[in-house]
Amino acid sequence: MDLFTRSWTALRTAVAEIPDPDFARPSGCAGWLVRDLVCHLVIDAQDVLITLATPAATEPTVDAVTYWHVEDRPPTGADPLDALTVRLAAAYGDPRLLTFHLDDVGSAAGRAAELADPRARVGTRGEVLTVGDYLGAYVLEWTLHHLDLIAHLPDARTLPPEKGLARSRAMMERIAGAAFPTSFTDRDALLVGTGRSAPTDAQRAELRDSSVRFPVFLG
């Protein structure tokens, strides 16, 4: 629960620090500008609020790791929701309107998470899981998108929390079914492991000698 809050707070802080012109820069999500990614975060925050207000009475069907679906290819932007996100982001016009909306909805999502009982069960995406596992899954979401946000922003001041990076790496390795070489930093393991960046020649050689399956496309 605490790591969810720290990761979400750091991500929202990083968004608030972005100068207006940088919203038109590319993000680490293929085909999305920074403004598109921030709009996606608004939708994510809405999803958190909706899920925390959707109690379930049945036994959990997934946990923080099995919540994630592994896709066989990276996003292409052809998904209707992805296309809608781009149109919504453009409709805001002024980046400050977009950041205001994220701060408004994002703060509410953060408060709802802090007040929620981690043992309670909630339903989302046709599955049931505990609140603790649901928020744990979102540590990976926030961490990856924080890396996406600052991918082309060299002056970004607020970085993902180190513990969030470490937890996200551990989750991704469990999803992949193998551990990345210890020489990989947590950040590199996440970026290479999810196909966000290509491995260096040295990293590629290490990966050939390991059993890790990469990249892992999460959905």
Side-chain angles (χ1 to χ4, degrees):
M1 302 282 281
D2 177 63
L3 201 48
F4 171 96
T5 299
R6 291 173 60 188
S7 299
W8 186 220
T9 299
L11 178 50
R12 286 163 40 223
T13 300
V15 171
E17 293 171 346
I18 299 173
D20 287 359
D22 285 351
F23 278 79
R25 286 178 177 252
S27 78
C29 292
W32 274 7
L33 303 176
V34 167
R35 72 182 186 188
D36 304 326
L37 175 56
V38 174
C39 188
H40 172 73
L41 295 178
V42 172
I43 296 171
D44 265 353
Q46 292 171 340
D47 284 346
V48 170
L49 285 169
I50 291 168
T51 299
L52 292 179
T54 308
T58 57
E59 290 296 316
T61 56
V62 293
D63 59 23
V65 172
T66 56
Y67 167 87
W68 293 100
H69 300 154
V70 177
E71 309 291 345
D72 59 0
R73 66 196 67 186
T76 63
D79 180 85
L81 182 56
D82 289 347
L84 175 62
T85 299
V86 173
R87 294 198 298 274
L88 282 173
Y92 277 92
D94 183 348
R96 292 304 108 187
L97 295 176
L98 184 54
T99 55
F100 172 80
H101 196 184
L102 177 63
D103 183 63
D104 194 32
V105 180
S107 295
R111 287 193 298 272
E114 290 175 352
L115 294 171
D117 179 355
R119 299 165 298 179
R121 298 167 189 170
V122 291
T124 183
R125 305 201 308 183
E127 304 284 3
V128 175
L129 68 172
T130 66
V131 167
D133 275 330
Y134 176 68
L135 298 180
Y138 259 82
V139 172
L140 178 56
E141 174 84 354
W142 300 149
T143 301
L144 287 174
H145 281 330
H146 198 146
L147 294 174
D148 291 331
L149 183 78
I150 64 175
H152 302 284
L153 302 178
D155 297 327
R157 299 197 304 271
T158 301
L159 305 178
E162 292 295 328
K163 288 185 177 180
L165 288 166
R167 175 72 63 82
S168 296
R169 175 184 183 154
M171 290 176 64
M172 189 195 64
E173 290 177 337
R174 286 182 60 193
I175 293 168
F180 268 74
T182 56
S183 62
F184 279 60
T185 66
D186 293 336
R187 178 174 180 152
D188 284 346
L190 290 168
L191 293 175
V192 172
T194 58
R196 283 167 162 80
S197 66
T200 64
D201 290 343
Q203 289 173 335
R204 195 181 302 277
E206 284 195 84
L207 289 169
R208 279 198 298 266
D209 295 334
S210 71
S211 60
V212 68
R213 170 179 171 263
F214 82 99
V216 176
F217 303 121
L218 302 177

